[in-house]
Short mmCIF file of all heavy atoms in Angstrom, two decimals:
data_model
loop_
_atom_site.label_atom_id
_atom_site.label_comp_id
_atom_site.label_asym_id
_atom_site.label_seq_id
_atom_site.Cartn_x
_atom_site.Cartn_y
_atom_site.Cartn_z
N GLY A 1 -2.45 -13.65 2.89
CA GLY A 1 -3.12 -14.73 2.32
C GLY A 1 -3.47 -15.87 3.27
O GLY A 1 -4.51 -16.50 3.14
N ALA A 2 -2.62 -15.99 4.36
CA ALA A 2 -2.86 -17.05 5.33
C ALA A 2 -4.13 -16.88 6.04
O ALA A 2 -4.74 -17.93 6.48
CB ALA A 2 -1.70 -17.08 6.28
N TYR A 3 -4.73 -15.76 6.07
CA TYR A 3 -5.97 -15.47 6.81
C TYR A 3 -7.15 -15.37 5.86
O TYR A 3 -8.21 -14.95 6.37
CB TYR A 3 -5.81 -14.32 7.80
CG TYR A 3 -4.94 -14.57 8.86
CD1 TYR A 3 -3.47 -14.33 8.86
CD2 TYR A 3 -5.38 -15.08 10.00
CE1 TYR A 3 -2.75 -14.68 9.92
CE2 TYR A 3 -4.62 -15.46 11.21
CZ TYR A 3 -3.27 -15.20 11.04
OH TYR A 3 -2.48 -15.50 12.11
N GLY A 4 -6.83 -15.68 4.61
CA GLY A 4 -8.06 -15.72 3.73
C GLY A 4 -8.04 -14.93 2.42
O GLY A 4 -8.98 -15.16 1.60
N ALA A 5 -7.10 -14.04 2.22
CA ALA A 5 -7.10 -13.29 0.95
C ALA A 5 -6.75 -14.17 -0.21
O ALA A 5 -5.78 -14.98 -0.20
CB ALA A 5 -6.05 -12.13 1.08
N ASP A 6 -7.57 -14.01 -1.36
CA ASP A 6 -7.25 -14.81 -2.54
C ASP A 6 -6.02 -14.21 -3.28
O ASP A 6 -5.20 -14.88 -3.87
CB ASP A 6 -8.42 -14.72 -3.45
CG ASP A 6 -9.65 -15.43 -2.88
OD1 ASP A 6 -9.60 -16.59 -2.56
OD2 ASP A 6 -10.65 -14.81 -2.79
N LYS A 7 -5.93 -12.85 -3.19
CA LYS A 7 -4.76 -12.22 -3.82
C LYS A 7 -4.42 -10.90 -2.97
O LYS A 7 -5.23 -10.46 -2.18
CB LYS A 7 -5.06 -11.90 -5.22
CG LYS A 7 -5.97 -10.72 -5.45
CD LYS A 7 -6.15 -10.49 -7.02
CE LYS A 7 -7.15 -9.32 -7.33
NZ LYS A 7 -7.28 -9.10 -8.73
N VAL A 8 -3.25 -10.46 -3.16
CA VAL A 8 -2.69 -9.20 -2.60
C VAL A 8 -2.39 -8.26 -3.77
O VAL A 8 -1.61 -8.62 -4.65
CB VAL A 8 -1.51 -9.40 -1.72
CG1 VAL A 8 -1.01 -8.09 -1.30
CG2 VAL A 8 -1.89 -10.28 -0.47
N ILE A 9 -3.05 -7.08 -3.80
CA ILE A 9 -2.68 -6.02 -4.74
C ILE A 9 -1.53 -5.25 -4.17
O ILE A 9 -1.77 -4.62 -3.18
CB ILE A 9 -3.89 -5.22 -5.18
CG1 ILE A 9 -5.01 -6.08 -5.69
CG2 ILE A 9 -3.62 -4.08 -6.07
CD1 ILE A 9 -6.33 -5.31 -5.81
N LEU A 10 -0.42 -5.39 -4.68
CA LEU A 10 0.83 -4.81 -4.16
C LEU A 10 1.19 -3.45 -4.81
O LEU A 10 1.37 -3.42 -5.94
CB LEU A 10 1.99 -5.77 -4.25
CG LEU A 10 3.34 -5.28 -3.72
CD1 LEU A 10 3.37 -5.15 -2.25
CD2 LEU A 10 4.42 -6.32 -4.18
N CYS A 11 1.21 -2.47 -3.98
CA CYS A 11 1.58 -1.10 -4.47
C CYS A 11 2.95 -0.77 -3.77
O CYS A 11 2.92 -0.30 -2.64
CB CYS A 11 0.56 0.02 -4.14
SG CYS A 11 -1.10 -0.52 -4.72
N ASP A 12 4.04 -1.10 -4.48
CA ASP A 12 5.37 -0.96 -3.80
C ASP A 12 6.21 0.12 -4.49
O ASP A 12 6.44 0.19 -5.71
CB ASP A 12 6.12 -2.29 -4.01
CG ASP A 12 7.14 -2.48 -2.91
OD1 ASP A 12 8.03 -1.68 -2.83
OD2 ASP A 12 7.16 -3.51 -2.19
N ASP A 13 6.45 1.09 -3.60
CA ASP A 13 7.19 2.33 -4.13
C ASP A 13 7.87 3.08 -2.97
O ASP A 13 7.28 3.11 -1.91
CB ASP A 13 6.15 3.25 -4.89
CG ASP A 13 6.83 4.37 -5.66
OD1 ASP A 13 7.25 4.14 -6.79
OD2 ASP A 13 6.99 5.39 -5.07
N PRO A 14 8.99 3.65 -3.22
CA PRO A 14 9.64 4.37 -2.13
C PRO A 14 8.79 5.55 -1.65
O PRO A 14 8.98 5.93 -0.38
CB PRO A 14 10.92 4.95 -2.81
CG PRO A 14 11.22 3.89 -3.92
CD PRO A 14 9.81 3.46 -4.40
N SER A 15 7.93 6.10 -2.40
CA SER A 15 7.02 7.23 -1.95
C SER A 15 6.06 6.80 -0.95
O SER A 15 5.48 7.67 -0.24
CB SER A 15 6.37 7.85 -3.13
OG SER A 15 5.47 7.04 -3.71
N LEU A 16 5.92 5.45 -0.74
CA LEU A 16 4.87 4.91 0.09
C LEU A 16 5.56 4.30 1.36
O LEU A 16 4.80 3.62 2.20
CB LEU A 16 4.07 3.74 -0.61
CG LEU A 16 3.33 4.26 -1.83
CD1 LEU A 16 2.61 3.10 -2.62
CD2 LEU A 16 2.41 5.39 -1.66
N LYS A 17 6.81 4.51 1.52
CA LYS A 17 7.48 3.93 2.65
C LYS A 17 6.86 4.39 4.07
O LYS A 17 6.57 3.59 4.87
CB LYS A 17 8.93 4.23 2.74
CG LYS A 17 9.78 3.74 3.83
CD LYS A 17 11.17 4.06 3.81
CE LYS A 17 11.90 3.51 4.94
NZ LYS A 17 13.39 3.85 4.96
N ASP A 18 6.70 5.64 4.16
CA ASP A 18 6.03 6.20 5.28
C ASP A 18 4.61 6.74 4.85
O ASP A 18 4.49 7.37 3.82
CB ASP A 18 6.84 7.32 5.92
CG ASP A 18 8.19 6.86 6.37
OD1 ASP A 18 8.24 5.86 7.03
OD2 ASP A 18 9.24 7.55 6.09
N TYR A 19 3.66 6.66 5.80
CA TYR A 19 2.23 7.10 5.41
C TYR A 19 2.22 8.63 5.34
O TYR A 19 2.62 9.35 6.18
CB TYR A 19 1.32 6.63 6.59
CG TYR A 19 0.00 7.13 6.30
CD1 TYR A 19 -0.86 6.61 5.39
CD2 TYR A 19 -0.54 8.18 7.11
CE1 TYR A 19 -2.21 7.17 5.07
CE2 TYR A 19 -1.80 8.81 6.84
CZ TYR A 19 -2.62 8.20 5.90
OH TYR A 19 -3.85 8.74 5.63
N THR A 20 1.62 8.98 4.21
CA THR A 20 1.15 10.41 4.00
C THR A 20 -0.19 10.33 3.46
O THR A 20 -0.53 9.48 2.55
CB THR A 20 2.07 11.20 3.13
OG1 THR A 20 2.19 10.50 1.81
CG2 THR A 20 3.50 11.34 3.71
N THR A 21 -1.03 11.17 3.82
CA THR A 21 -2.45 11.19 3.33
C THR A 21 -2.56 11.28 1.83
O THR A 21 -3.27 10.54 1.09
CB THR A 21 -3.26 12.29 3.98
OG1 THR A 21 -3.10 12.19 5.34
CG2 THR A 21 -4.76 12.19 3.68
N ASP A 22 -1.74 12.24 1.20
CA ASP A 22 -1.96 12.52 -0.20
C ASP A 22 -1.47 11.35 -1.02
O ASP A 22 -2.15 10.87 -2.04
CB ASP A 22 -1.28 13.82 -0.60
CG ASP A 22 0.13 13.92 -0.16
OD1 ASP A 22 0.60 13.18 0.62
OD2 ASP A 22 0.80 14.89 -0.65
N ALA A 23 -0.31 10.75 -0.68
CA ALA A 23 0.23 9.63 -1.47
C ALA A 23 -0.61 8.39 -1.38
O ALA A 23 -0.95 7.78 -2.39
CB ALA A 23 1.64 9.37 -1.04
N TYR A 24 -1.02 7.97 -0.21
CA TYR A 24 -1.80 6.82 0.00
C TYR A 24 -3.22 6.98 -0.63
O TYR A 24 -3.73 6.07 -1.25
CB TYR A 24 -1.91 6.44 1.47
CG TYR A 24 -0.79 5.58 2.00
CD1 TYR A 24 0.52 5.96 1.82
CD2 TYR A 24 -1.10 4.36 2.62
CE1 TYR A 24 1.56 5.18 2.29
CE2 TYR A 24 0.00 3.52 3.04
CZ TYR A 24 1.26 3.92 2.86
OH TYR A 24 2.39 3.15 3.35
N ALA A 25 -3.81 8.22 -0.39
CA ALA A 25 -5.19 8.40 -1.01
C ALA A 25 -5.12 8.35 -2.57
O ALA A 25 -6.04 7.76 -3.13
CB ALA A 25 -5.66 9.74 -0.52
N ASP A 26 -4.08 8.94 -3.12
CA ASP A 26 -3.90 8.93 -4.57
C ASP A 26 -3.90 7.53 -5.08
O ASP A 26 -4.62 7.06 -6.00
CB ASP A 26 -2.65 9.65 -4.93
CG ASP A 26 -2.93 11.02 -5.22
OD1 ASP A 26 -4.04 11.55 -5.18
OD2 ASP A 26 -1.96 11.77 -5.54
N VAL A 27 -2.99 6.62 -4.47
CA VAL A 27 -2.78 5.24 -4.92
C VAL A 27 -4.12 4.44 -4.83
O VAL A 27 -4.53 3.70 -5.65
CB VAL A 27 -1.66 4.59 -4.19
CG1 VAL A 27 -1.50 3.16 -4.60
CG2 VAL A 27 -0.32 5.31 -4.60
#
């Protein structure tokens, strides 16, 4: 937000802790 975002869409889940293509692409 400090650099200009009006809002942050937060997708918080243990399955997203480490990057994987299928999980991140799905979300």
Side-chain angles (χ1 to χ4, degrees):
Y3 288 90
D6 297 303
K7 72 177 179 182
V8 172
I9 300 171
L10 177 65
C11 305
D12 204 305
D13 190 87
S15 66
L16 304 175
K17 179 179 180 181
D18 299 311
Y19 173 78
T20 59
T21 308
D22 52 346
Y24 272 56
D26 269 359
V27 172

